[in-house]
Amino acid sequence: MHHLFTPVASVPVDPGRARVHEEGWQSWSPSGAYALDATPYRPTNGNWATVCYRPGVTVPAGTFQGEGLLALDPGDGSPVRLWAAVDPTREVPSVRLVVTDGVAHVSADGPVKEWTGTDIQSVLADWALGLGVEAPRPAPTVWCSWYEYFTAVTEDDIHENLRAMDTLDLPIDVVQIDDGYQKALGDWLTLSGRFRSRAGIADAIRARGRRAGIWTAPFLVDPASDLATEHPDWLVRDTAGGFAHAGRNWGHDLRVLDTTHPEAAAYLTEVFRTLRAEGYDYFKVDFLYAGALDGVRHSPADALTAYREGIALIREAIGDDAYLLGCGAPILPSIGLFDAMRVSPDTAPHRLPEAGDYSQPGQDPAEFTGAGRQWQHGRLWVNDPDCLMARPAVETREQWAAHVKATGGLMASSDRLLSLDEWGVSTTRRLLSGAAE
């Protein structure tokens, strides 16, 4: 699918003052502005290149590259220039920029249109507004199990935090159960041993006047799951006849559900209709990059069409009134499909990401890309900067809380609420109250 790069523009720059904004492929891909002498963030291993960046795309050294969007502030007082995909939900060309002798040479491997503006964030914002996406509805406030319990979450943990929300008087609309309730990726309706009843816990949440939310990774399949064992024909293939590979996580290789296969589509519809019928009306769908991977599918649809149709299937199953949050999602192909979107890599109780890779969990990469994508908020969706963690064990928790607040986006707490000290409780209450106003 990757075409040759053809020249688009040559722009004189002030090498000391110019800045280039690279837009990354998906939620976790580094995105933001760099000085010309900076080295942009790139994958530090092949697995992360698949799971967190645009798969199959490598960028030459000394080259800036945006996926569908690249902006240049020449630094000499002349207008900021933006090169943007012409039809961003269907085709996302890579846009490259190389500087030689004080001139930025821009090229792209597909059609782009040029925009101009006064600064990088505002020209991106103007471009987003020009797409005519319906303004997003206000986001609910959320408590999420992930950053305290990770995959070891139990039903009892949910009950404990439900009680603590009342005790601490926290304005939380949605209690969202994250990864760990299910037996395996793909077997979404089979419980892990740590949960007794999905419908029962949804009832308990709603009985306390809150909404029930749930996490899935709808396009990922664990090779050891019942789904993979019983329905190998539901999985995307590679051109050699093996299974398409969505990278490695949770200690195993990942496969991809082929939502263009009628039976796989019917299964996915059943999963989401069931969850909706059980009382869940807030859905975090994660690792969505998998649905846009190239591969051999049941239908001849290209990967981005298959991805959008897969998300449309989920939306139809949950209904228009349910809230849909995307994560690990290809950014431009997701326009118009979501209420909210994670716009950065995961945060973490620590600042620095593993191996210095800015697609990996850490407060530094989450702040860098979250700030770089602030222009999307309120124009394409509600930005999700990732969860507030305010417990004492979290490094630089004050700085992280300030970042989350400054985004004005989705406000979610992800602590064991009883572990919060006085600062943690008051900060959590303040941020959630600000969002609830």
Side-chain angles (χ1 to χ4, degrees), residues 382-421:
V382 171
N383 277 14
D384 170 19
D386 208 3
C387 299
L388 173 70
M389 291 180 296
R391 57 189 181 270
V394 173
E395 256 184 56
T396 57
R397 59 179 179 164
E398 297 85 358
Q399 185 180 335
W400 175 247
H403 167 74
V404 171
K405 182 175 190 291
T407 68
L410 184 76
M411 292 289 161
S413 156
S414 194
D415 290 297
R416 180 187 177 202
L417 296 172
L418 294 182
S419 75
L420 294 174
D421 58 0

Short mmCIF file of all heavy atoms in Angstrom, two decimals, residues 382-421:
data_model
loop_
_atom_site.label_atom_id
_atom_site.label_comp_id
_atom_site.label_asym_id
_atom_site.label_seq_id
_atom_site.Cartn_x
_atom_site.Cartn_y
_atom_site.Cartn_z
N VAL A 382 -14.07 14.41 22.77
CA VAL A 382 -13.52 14.83 24.06
C VAL A 382 -12.17 14.13 24.21
O VAL A 382 -12.09 12.91 24.08
CB VAL A 382 -14.47 14.44 25.21
CG1 VAL A 382 -13.81 14.69 26.57
CG2 VAL A 382 -15.78 15.22 25.11
N ASN A 383 -11.12 14.89 24.45
CA ASN A 383 -9.81 14.27 24.66
C ASN A 383 -9.76 13.54 26.00
O ASN A 383 -10.22 14.08 27.01
CB ASN A 383 -8.70 15.33 24.66
CG ASN A 383 -8.24 15.72 23.26
OD1 ASN A 383 -8.90 15.42 22.27
ND2 ASN A 383 -7.13 16.42 23.19
N ASP A 384 -9.19 12.35 25.98
CA ASP A 384 -8.92 11.61 27.22
C ASP A 384 -7.42 11.67 27.48
O ASP A 384 -6.65 11.02 26.77
CB ASP A 384 -9.39 10.16 27.08
CG ASP A 384 -8.93 9.28 28.23
OD1 ASP A 384 -8.58 9.83 29.30
OD2 ASP A 384 -8.92 8.05 28.07
N PRO A 385 -7.00 12.45 28.49
CA PRO A 385 -5.57 12.58 28.78
C PRO A 385 -5.01 11.41 29.58
O PRO A 385 -3.83 11.38 29.89
CB PRO A 385 -5.51 13.86 29.61
CG PRO A 385 -6.81 13.87 30.36
CD PRO A 385 -7.83 13.26 29.41
N ASP A 386 -5.86 10.45 29.90
CA ASP A 386 -5.64 9.31 30.77
C ASP A 386 -5.91 9.70 32.22
O ASP A 386 -6.09 10.86 32.55
CB ASP A 386 -4.27 8.65 30.60
CG ASP A 386 -4.33 7.16 30.95
OD1 ASP A 386 -5.43 6.66 31.26
OD2 ASP A 386 -3.29 6.48 30.91
N CYS A 387 -5.93 8.69 33.08
CA CYS A 387 -6.50 8.85 34.42
C CYS A 387 -5.63 9.65 35.38
O CYS A 387 -4.40 9.57 35.34
CB CYS A 387 -6.73 7.47 35.03
SG CYS A 387 -7.89 6.44 34.10
N LEU A 388 -6.31 10.34 36.26
CA LEU A 388 -5.67 10.93 37.43
C LEU A 388 -5.26 9.81 38.37
O LEU A 388 -6.04 8.88 38.61
CB LEU A 388 -6.68 11.86 38.13
CG LEU A 388 -6.25 12.44 39.47
CD1 LEU A 388 -5.14 13.46 39.27
CD2 LEU A 388 -7.44 13.08 40.17
N MET A 389 -4.02 9.88 38.86
CA MET A 389 -3.59 9.02 39.96
C MET A 389 -3.06 9.95 41.03
O MET A 389 -2.09 10.68 40.80
CB MET A 389 -2.48 8.07 39.51
CG MET A 389 -2.93 7.00 38.54
SD MET A 389 -1.52 5.95 38.09
CE MET A 389 -0.51 7.16 37.26
N ALA A 390 -3.73 9.97 42.18
CA ALA A 390 -3.41 10.96 43.20
C ALA A 390 -2.93 10.34 44.51
O ALA A 390 -2.77 11.04 45.50
CB ALA A 390 -4.65 11.83 43.45
N ARG A 391 -2.67 9.04 44.51
CA ARG A 391 -2.23 8.38 45.75
C ARG A 391 -0.77 8.72 46.04
O ARG A 391 0.00 9.07 45.13
CB ARG A 391 -2.44 6.87 45.66
CG ARG A 391 -1.75 6.17 44.49
CD ARG A 391 -2.21 4.72 44.38
NE ARG A 391 -1.56 3.99 43.30
CZ ARG A 391 -2.02 3.92 42.06
NH1 ARG A 391 -3.13 4.57 41.71
NH2 ARG A 391 -1.37 3.20 41.14
N PRO A 392 -0.35 8.62 47.31
CA PRO A 392 1.00 9.04 47.68
C PRO A 392 2.12 8.30 46.95
O PRO A 392 3.19 8.86 46.74
CB PRO A 392 1.06 8.75 49.19
CG PRO A 392 -0.36 8.77 49.65
CD PRO A 392 -1.17 8.26 48.50
N ALA A 393 1.88 7.06 46.54
CA ALA A 393 2.94 6.26 45.90
C ALA A 393 3.27 6.74 44.49
O ALA A 393 4.26 6.29 43.90
CB ALA A 393 2.52 4.79 45.86
N VAL A 394 2.47 7.64 43.93
CA VAL A 394 2.67 8.10 42.55
C VAL A 394 3.71 9.21 42.52
O VAL A 394 3.58 10.23 43.20
CB VAL A 394 1.32 8.57 41.95
CG1 VAL A 394 1.53 9.22 40.60
CG2 VAL A 394 0.36 7.39 41.85
N GLU A 395 4.76 9.00 41.70
CA GLU A 395 5.80 10.03 41.50
C GLU A 395 5.17 11.31 40.95
O GLU A 395 4.28 11.22 40.10
CB GLU A 395 6.75 9.52 40.40
CG GLU A 395 8.07 8.99 40.86
CD GLU A 395 8.94 8.62 39.65
OE1 GLU A 395 9.18 9.48 38.79
OE2 GLU A 395 9.36 7.46 39.59
N THR A 396 5.67 12.45 41.34
CA THR A 396 5.26 13.76 40.79
C THR A 396 3.75 13.85 40.54
O THR A 396 3.30 14.31 39.50
CB THR A 396 6.02 14.07 39.47
OG1 THR A 396 5.80 13.02 38.51
CG2 THR A 396 7.52 14.20 39.71
N ARG A 397 2.98 13.40 41.54
CA ARG A 397 1.53 13.36 41.34
C ARG A 397 0.93 14.75 41.16
O ARG A 397 -0.07 14.91 40.46
CB ARG A 397 0.86 12.63 42.51
CG ARG A 397 1.12 13.25 43.88
CD ARG A 397 0.40 12.48 44.98
NE ARG A 397 0.68 13.06 46.29
CZ ARG A 397 -0.02 12.79 47.37
NH1 ARG A 397 -1.06 11.97 47.32
NH2 ARG A 397 0.29 13.35 48.53
N GLU A 398 1.57 15.77 41.75
CA GLU A 398 1.04 17.14 41.60
C GLU A 398 1.15 17.60 40.14
O GLU A 398 0.22 18.19 39.59
CB GLU A 398 1.81 18.12 42.50
CG GLU A 398 1.67 17.84 43.99
CD GLU A 398 2.67 16.80 44.51
OE1 GLU A 398 3.47 16.26 43.71
OE2 GLU A 398 2.64 16.53 45.73
N GLN A 399 2.29 17.32 39.53
CA GLN A 399 2.50 17.71 38.14
C GLN A 399 1.54 16.97 37.21
O GLN A 399 0.99 17.55 36.27
CB GLN A 399 3.96 17.44 37.73
CG GLN A 399 4.30 17.94 36.33
CD GLN A 399 5.75 17.64 35.95
OE1 GLN A 399 6.61 17.51 36.82
NE2 GLN A 399 6.00 17.53 34.66
N TRP A 400 1.35 15.67 37.48
CA TRP A 400 0.44 14.89 36.63
C TRP A 400 -1.00 15.41 36.76
O TRP A 400 -1.71 15.58 35.76
CB TRP A 400 0.52 13.40 36.96
CG TRP A 400 -0.49 12.61 36.18
CD1 TRP A 400 -1.57 11.94 36.66
CD2 TRP A 400 -0.55 12.47 34.74
NE1 TRP A 400 -2.29 11.37 35.63
CE2 TRP A 400 -1.69 11.69 34.44
CE3 TRP A 400 0.25 12.94 33.69
CZ2 TRP A 400 -2.05 11.36 33.14
CZ3 TRP A 400 -0.11 12.61 32.38
CH2 TRP A 400 -1.24 11.83 32.12
N ALA A 401 -1.43 15.69 37.99
CA ALA A 401 -2.78 16.21 38.20
C ALA A 401 -2.97 17.54 37.48
O ALA A 401 -4.03 17.80 36.89
CB ALA A 401 -3.05 16.38 39.70
N ALA A 402 -1.94 18.38 37.50
CA ALA A 402 -2.03 19.68 36.81
C ALA A 402 -2.20 19.49 35.30
O ALA A 402 -2.96 20.22 34.65
CB ALA A 402 -0.79 20.52 37.11
N HIS A 403 -1.49 18.50 34.75
CA HIS A 403 -1.63 18.23 33.31
C HIS A 403 -3.06 17.77 32.98
O HIS A 403 -3.68 18.26 32.04
CB HIS A 403 -0.63 17.16 32.86
CG HIS A 403 -0.91 16.61 31.49
ND1 HIS A 403 -0.67 17.32 30.34
CD2 HIS A 403 -1.46 15.43 31.09
CE1 HIS A 403 -1.05 16.60 29.28
NE2 HIS A 403 -1.52 15.45 29.73
N VAL A 404 -3.57 16.82 33.76
CA VAL A 404 -4.91 16.29 33.51
C VAL A 404 -5.94 17.42 33.58
O VAL A 404 -6.81 17.55 32.71
CB VAL A 404 -5.26 15.16 34.52
CG1 VAL A 404 -6.73 14.76 34.40
CG2 VAL A 404 -4.36 13.95 34.29
N LYS A 405 -5.81 18.27 34.58
CA LYS A 405 -6.75 19.38 34.74
C LYS A 405 -6.67 20.35 33.56
O LYS A 405 -7.69 20.80 33.04
CB LYS A 405 -6.45 20.12 36.05
CG LYS A 405 -7.42 21.28 36.33
CD LYS A 405 -7.14 21.89 37.71
CE LYS A 405 -8.23 22.86 38.12
NZ LYS A 405 -8.24 24.09 37.29
N ALA A 406 -5.43 20.66 33.13
CA ALA A 406 -5.24 21.65 32.06
C ALA A 406 -5.84 21.21 30.73
O ALA A 406 -6.20 22.05 29.91
CB ALA A 406 -3.74 21.93 31.88
N THR A 407 -5.98 19.91 30.51
CA THR A 407 -6.53 19.45 29.22
C THR A 407 -8.02 19.76 29.10
O THR A 407 -8.54 19.88 28.00
CB THR A 407 -6.36 17.92 29.05
OG1 THR A 407 -7.19 17.23 29.98
CG2 THR A 407 -4.91 17.50 29.22
N GLY A 408 -8.72 19.85 30.24
CA GLY A 408 -10.17 20.08 30.19
C GLY A 408 -10.93 18.91 29.62
O GLY A 408 -12.10 19.02 29.29
N GLY A 409 -10.28 17.76 29.52
CA GLY A 409 -10.88 16.60 28.87
C GLY A 409 -11.58 15.66 29.83
O GLY A 409 -12.06 16.07 30.89
N LEU A 410 -11.62 14.39 29.45
CA LEU A 410 -12.27 13.36 30.26
C LEU A 410 -11.57 13.27 31.61
O LEU A 410 -10.35 13.15 31.67
CB LEU A 410 -12.17 12.03 29.52
CG LEU A 410 -12.88 10.83 30.16
CD1 LEU A 410 -14.38 10.93 29.91
CD2 LEU A 410 -12.35 9.53 29.58
N MET A 411 -12.36 13.33 32.70
CA MET A 411 -11.77 13.25 34.04
C MET A 411 -12.09 11.88 34.64
O MET A 411 -13.27 11.55 34.85
CB MET A 411 -12.32 14.35 34.94
CG MET A 411 -11.88 15.74 34.53
SD MET A 411 -10.11 16.04 34.86
CE MET A 411 -9.84 17.46 33.78
N ALA A 412 -11.03 11.11 34.91
CA ALA A 412 -11.21 9.78 35.48
C ALA A 412 -10.20 9.57 36.60
O ALA A 412 -9.03 9.92 36.46
CB ALA A 412 -11.00 8.72 34.40
N SER A 413 -10.66 9.01 37.70
CA SER A 413 -9.80 8.65 38.82
C SER A 413 -9.45 7.18 38.70
O SER A 413 -10.29 6.36 38.32
CB SER A 413 -10.56 8.92 40.13
OG SER A 413 -10.05 8.12 41.18
N SER A 414 -8.19 6.82 39.02
CA SER A 414 -7.82 5.41 38.97
C SER A 414 -6.90 5.05 40.14
O SER A 414 -5.79 4.57 39.95
CB SER A 414 -7.17 5.06 37.63
OG SER A 414 -7.10 3.66 37.46
N ASP A 415 -7.40 5.31 41.34
CA ASP A 415 -6.72 4.91 42.57
C ASP A 415 -7.61 3.95 43.35
O ASP A 415 -8.84 3.97 43.19
CB ASP A 415 -6.49 6.13 43.48
CG ASP A 415 -5.45 7.09 42.93
OD1 ASP A 415 -4.29 6.68 42.79
OD2 ASP A 415 -5.81 8.26 42.62
N ARG A 416 -7.00 3.16 44.22
CA ARG A 416 -7.78 2.55 45.28
C ARG A 416 -8.15 3.71 46.21
O ARG A 416 -7.29 4.31 46.85
CB ARG A 416 -6.97 1.50 46.04
CG ARG A 416 -7.77 0.86 47.15
CD ARG A 416 -6.94 -0.07 48.02
NE ARG A 416 -7.78 -0.57 49.11
CZ ARG A 416 -7.31 -1.06 50.25
NH1 ARG A 416 -6.01 -1.11 50.46
NH2 ARG A 416 -8.14 -1.49 51.18
N LEU A 417 -9.42 4.06 46.23
CA LEU A 417 -9.83 5.33 46.85
C LEU A 417 -9.47 5.39 48.33
O LEU A 417 -9.15 6.47 48.84
CB LEU A 417 -11.33 5.55 46.62
CG LEU A 417 -11.70 5.73 45.13
CD1 LEU A 417 -13.21 5.77 44.96
CD2 LEU A 417 -11.06 7.00 44.54
N LEU A 418 -9.48 4.25 49.02
CA LEU A 418 -9.13 4.25 50.44
C LEU A 418 -7.64 4.47 50.68
O LEU A 418 -7.22 4.70 51.81
CB LEU A 418 -9.59 2.95 51.11
CG LEU A 418 -11.11 2.73 51.17
CD1 LEU A 418 -11.43 1.43 51.89
CD2 LEU A 418 -11.81 3.90 51.87
N SER A 419 -6.84 4.42 49.61
CA SER A 419 -5.39 4.65 49.78
C SER A 419 -5.03 6.13 49.63
O SER A 419 -3.88 6.51 49.80
CB SER A 419 -4.59 3.82 48.77
OG SER A 419 -4.70 4.40 47.47
N LEU A 420 -6.01 6.96 49.29
CA LEU A 420 -5.73 8.39 49.11
C LEU A 420 -5.52 9.08 50.45
O LEU A 420 -6.26 8.85 51.39
CB LEU A 420 -6.89 9.06 48.36
CG LEU A 420 -7.10 8.60 46.91
CD1 LEU A 420 -8.38 9.23 46.35
CD2 LEU A 420 -5.91 8.96 46.04
N ASP A 421 -4.53 9.97 50.48
CA ASP A 421 -4.36 10.84 51.64
C ASP A 421 -5.22 12.08 51.45
O ASP A 421 -5.99 12.18 50.48
CB ASP A 421 -2.88 11.19 51.84
CG ASP A 421 -2.27 11.88 50.62
OD1 ASP A 421 -2.99 12.10 49.62
OD2 ASP A 421 -1.06 12.21 50.67
#
